[in-house]
Amino acid sequence: MKKCFFYGIFFCLINTSFAIDMIADISNPVETEFGIYQPFPVLITPQIIDPQPGGNLENVVNLGDFEFDPKSLQMLKSNQFVVTSATYSKPGSEATGFKEMFDVYNDCRENGIPAFVTTDAMLHTFHLCFDYILKTCEEKRFCSLLNTLLDSLLIETQRQYSITNNDVIRSAIISNMDYLIVAKKLLDSTYVEPVNGGKYLEELELIRQANGFSLSPIFDYDEDYSQYIVRGHYTDSEQLSAYFKSMMWLGRMTFACVAPDDEASRQATQRAILLVQALMNVNINDRTALEIWDEIYQPTVFFVGKSDDINFYQYITIAQQVYGVEFSSLYPDAFADDDNLTEFLNHTKEFPVAAITYPGQPIKGFRFMGQRFIPDSWVLDELVMTKIPGRAMPKGLDVMIVLGDEKAFDYLPQEDRNNPFYTEKLDSLVNIFKNYAPEIWAQNVYWNWLYSLMPMLALKGEGYPFYMRTDAWGDKDLLAALASWAELRHDTILYAKQSGSETSMPPTTGLVQGYVEPNPHLFGRLAALASFLQTGLQNKGLLFEEFEFSLNSFYETSKSLKTIAEKELTNESLTAEEYKLIFDFGKTIYRIIGFEQYAEGPSNYDDDIEPMPVVADVHTDGNSLTVLEEGVGFPYAIYVICNIEGRPVLTKGAGYSYYEFTKPLTERMTDEKWRETLQTEPPSPPTWSQSFYVNQDSWINSNPEFSYGYKNETKYLTCDVTPESPAQGDSVEIKVELFGYNLEDDVAIKLTFENGSEMTVDNLNHSSYNLWTAKIPSTNFVPGQVYIDVNISGSGNSPDYRTSFILNSSSIIVDKSVSPAIFQLYQNWPNPFNSQTKIQFDLKKQSYISVVIFDVNGRRLKTVYQGNQGPGQYSLVWDGKDENGSVVCSGVYYYRLETDYFNDIKSMVLLK
């Protein structure tokens, strides 16, 4: 029992001490109403070897290629990364800022700077894809559907009016007519209304003025008309602007059903019943109006979520219970009966009050196309007055804390941290979110996006790079998560319910080996999110042709980056194709966000490309008449010291800038106004971002531009090793292939072993016009990691390309005549052992595998084997030595088999 207890502790140590702790982690497929959500879990154990840059960065091989001010240099020394403003010099012009993240990577490619592929860049790329897809669906589908639906409902409402003889019902129908005319006139300004004058004219004027809270002429309660200020991507065209205003009206205005004895509720519910009947009586080209309504509602449920208001389906059910199954064929006068109306309202008691309510509006009621419940708005709504006395305005940090970033609490104002009402409610929300099932997080794109931010908010422990374990990196990730959340709110601003407080250059460039931010959890979640988005669009008939390339490319790129990040965390060398992906990352994301398969980068004709900054108001305070704005600015540059093939290399990537500020509600910001503000008087970034941000005051850029590509041709080489993971004594074949180089140049290859010894490869065979090969016996090689430096003549001392392979100290023996039915790791034999022991395991199918030895403290002693293997029965030998060839002492040790599909660990005893 004691031994089992110890084993359990160690198993947890090996499998979770290097993990990142997130509030949710979906490991199995989840079935949703829009398709299967297929996760891509991370199965590796991070055990990265940190670079050794030296106290003054003297070991960083390319430090001389950069210029830093003293403060930036000191931060780079302390944290091994620093964030600064991103600038570049376009030929023939002064230095300027970048408009987009892909600019930074194109600039790296142009100037031979090792690229650092950030999670920021992929999150931002997803935002651009999502925003474009939603906008295209609205333009191609939703606008025309809404127009057709409103036309038909207006005709049917006129018919209702023509056949009624009851003054009360006639008055209700007139109100409905006003309501629908407002929606139609907002959508189509050329529409000629069927009546001459009415309250709709007053309503349209209030919407035009957008001056904040006023009494609605049609609904007789306060509405915040500043909500009709067109923002988000809806400023891009007149069609989208009109759609925004019409849908905002249909999504916000409430037909109250607060209580059966409330006269306002009775009148509003009577009108809602007539509207529901009108919808049921409309047929459009052999389709019901409800089906047309559903074609708008359901896809937007997939994009954003369900409304927490009462909708047509729920009222149809009640109407048929109260008025009979022939409800739709009744004369309008039938709805004048007070007893039936009371019974109808009694049925509405079963519906809960909306989780998110609007200041001034009824707390419960029917909405034509209600805005959607989103969890972050609910969090903000729960953390302000009247639920938290004295707290009128929330902060984006509230959302990040609930999503798992405990450190963000320290950055809240002192009055919040000392407010017991706030802390108690915050703890309650944290516990609620921690207990959400996978089905909740996977249900739609919006929830999925929030789920994808969690790896940014989790602390990175042992096994991750030094810079990712610093407090400064945690702050950088927090800022990136806030910025991505701001983009999410920007993209969904129409549908998401907002919370509210009551009341000259050479022609070619050579490939430079770069690095990927080693956060495989995030890249895996983005791949799953892209796949889910594609599945849902297809199931809703909205997977337009131009979407497929970009979503496929984003999905494949995310998967590739996950694989690269896992390789980096386990110290495995990248392939030439993986390095090429990093090198061309700017081109890749440009193609994705441009929805163009062959685009290389911005051209001088790309004036229609929108700059990166976007803004969204996320909360309205009815007391101060202000709104909370969340803004993303122009991209920053991040410089990170990475271990690239055993050498400290300074890399450069792109990241988010982020701002939170308040504005009067009548000045809700558009993207265009926000971009102007950033170039004149930007607000201050969060104070806590000073832990990684330098030169914040210099971020005003009066003339940001796109980085245009000039070097379209690329020269690069590949270097392959056969076998992938050789054992001592095997013959190792090295193959070098050149592309774009002068083929008269000579190739030089040098091997560097873990003990520091070096070897020049002399027997190179120039076997074809661009191919060099060499076959070398490895009998006298030092086991462990072997680096291969490839130099092209005349290119200098620094290698043009560096890769590596693991030389195993013992050969792996495989019997592929057997096809195991399961994956299995066997107990070593002999056990205990004296000098060597055999480790055996079965592989059910092809997999990348590693067999690693650990001591009782969880420290990795030796990688006995790693590489790709097919199905079969395997055995290998451990000789009781560590990675350096030193014999280990007597004691208990652990060996672990890790595959793409299966992990297991067992103990063994060495006795001398």
Side-chain angles (χ1 to χ4, degrees), residues 1-10 894:
M1 183 71 177
K2 188 175 181 180
K3 180 179 179 182
C4 292
F5 176 71
F6 175 79
Y7 175 83
I9 292 176
F10 182 74
Y894 296 85

Side-chain angles (χ1 to χ4, degrees), residues 281-541:
N281 283 333
V282 169
N283 278 280
I284 307 166
N285 298 325
D286 296 326
R287 299 169 68 208
T288 67
L290 189 59
E291 288 174 324
I292 302 297
W293 179 87
D294 222 36
E295 277 199 50
I296 303 172
Y297 179 73
Q298 288 300 336
T300 51
V301 170
F302 170 64
F303 287 131
V304 186
K306 295 179 179 179
S307 171
D308 58 350
D309 302 304
I310 303 167
N311 62 32
F312 280 106
Y313 284 108
Q314 293 157 307
Y315 264 27
I316 288 171
T317 301
I318 297 176
Q320 289 177 338
Q321 289 175 342
V322 174
Y323 297 102
V325 293
E326 301 300 323
F327 156 73
S328 62
S329 62
L330 295 176
Y331 271 76
D333 292 355
F335 307 125
D337 185 278
D338 284 339
D339 291 339
N340 283 342
L341 183 58
T342 300
E343 183 183 351
F344 190 102
L345 279 161
N346 281 329
H347 278 286
T348 67
K349 290 180 180 178
E350 65 186 77
F351 301 125
V353 171
I356 303 170
T357 58
Y358 299 143
Q361 288 210 22
I363 60 173
K364 188 168 76 170
F366 166 88
R367 285 192 172 111
F368 185 98
M369 188 76 72
Q371 290 183 304
R372 314 313 159 78
F373 171 87
I374 51 172
D376 46 309
S377 265
W378 181 56
V379 168
L380 298 179
D381 203 52
E382 290 289 301
L383 293 174
V384 291
M385 297 189 297
T386 57
K387 294 156 188 174
I388 309 296
R391 194 174 196 248
M393 191 65 76
K395 299 188 75 65
L397 291 171
D398 298 335
V399 176
M400 298 302 119
I401 295 169
V402 171
L403 290 179
D405 195 324
E406 296 179 3
K407 185 184 174 187
F409 181 83
D410 297 335
Y411 299 142
L412 290 168
Q414 189 71 42
E415 57 266 28
D416 288 342
R417 286 179 281 150
N418 292 340
N419 186 333
F421 297 101
Y422 173 80
T423 55
E424 182 180 352
K425 175 62 75 171
L426 185 65
D427 286 342
S428 171
L429 290 168
V430 168
N431 288 327
I432 289 171
F433 275 67
K434 277 184 177 179
N435 288 312
Y436 279 146
E439 291 75 14
I440 299 293
W441 294 109
Q443 64 182 286
N444 57 49
V445 175
Y446 196 102
W447 280 82
N448 234 297
W449 191 328
L450 294 176
Y451 171 74
S452 296
L453 296 179
M454 292 176 191
M456 305 284 284
L457 304 173
L459 293 175
K460 314 304 185 296
E462 192 69 29
Y464 282 87
F466 168 78
Y467 55 83
M468 293 183 78
R469 304 195 302 271
T470 63
D471 289 340
W473 189 271
D475 293 342
K476 181 213 76 78
D477 270 356
L478 172 59
L479 184 132
L482 281 162
S484 181
W485 171 65
E487 289 180 329
L488 170 61
R489 292 301 298 261
H490 165 272
D491 299 348
T492 59
I493 195 164
L494 174 57
Y495 304 100
K497 254 193 176 182
Q498 187 175 115
S499 54
S501 306
E502 287 298 334
T503 289
S504 154
M505 308 178 80
T508 61
T509 179
L511 182 145
V512 180
Q513 291 168 280
Y515 205 78
V516 169
E517 181 181 335
N519 192 334
H521 293 275
L522 185 136
F523 294 126
R525 292 187 182 196
L526 285 180
L529 175 54
S531 176
F532 182 66
L533 176 56
Q534 190 166 13
T535 299
L537 289 171
Q538 187 170 36
N539 290 338
K540 291 298 175 185

Side-chain angles (χ1 to χ4, degrees), residues 827-880:
Q827 187 64 50
N828 66 303
W829 186 87
N831 186 43
F833 67 100
N834 178 264
S835 59
Q836 64 179 29
T837 188
K838 182 183 290 186
I839 298 171
Q840 296 179 286
F841 55 91
D842 293 346
L843 297 183
K844 179 182 177 182
K845 57 182 176 179
Q846 173 85 21
S847 176
Y848 183 84
I849 65 169
S850 68
V851 178
V852 182
I853 310 297
F854 295 91
D855 66 14
V856 292
N857 294 316
R859 290 190 293 265
R860 180 175 66 90
L861 295 178
K862 179 69 175 285
T863 299
V864 184
Y865 182 84
Q866 64 180 21
N868 282 295
Q869 292 290 349
Q873 292 186 331
Y874 291 80
S875 65
L876 47 81
V877 174
W878 180 46
D879 57 6

Side-chain angles (χ1 to χ4, degrees), residues 73-126:
L73 190 61
Q74 184 55 48
M75 195 171 287
L76 190 61
K77 291 177 182 178
S78 300
N79 297 327
Q80 295 186 9
F81 85 97
V82 65
V83 168
T84 72
S85 56
T87 59
Y88 84 109
S89 294
K90 183 180 176 181
S93 65
E94 296 181 357
T96 184
F98 293 111
K99 280 192 174 182
E100 256 295 350
M101 283 198 193
F102 61 75
D103 291 324
V104 179
Y105 291 103
N106 285 340
D107 191 57
C108 288
R109 184 182 183 278
E110 294 283 310
N111 294 291
I113 301 170
F116 183 79
V117 175
T118 59
T119 50
D120 303 44
M122 287 301 288
L123 283 165
H124 177 61
T125 300
F126 182 80

Side-chain angles (χ1 to χ4, degrees), residues 154-171 173-174 177 274 277-278 281 326-336:
L154 278 161
I155 293 170
E156 177 59 21
T157 302
Q158 292 174 65
R159 190 192 71 83
Q160 285 178 325
Y161 184 83
S162 69
I163 61 174
T164 185
N165 293 309
N166 185 284
D167 289 341
V168 172
I169 297 301
R170 184 177 288 110
S171 176
I173 294 173
I174 289 173
M177 184 73 71
L274 287 160
Q277 190 204 42
N281 283 333
E326 301 300 323
F327 156 73
S328 62
S329 62
L330 295 176
Y331 271 76
D333 292 355
F335 307 125

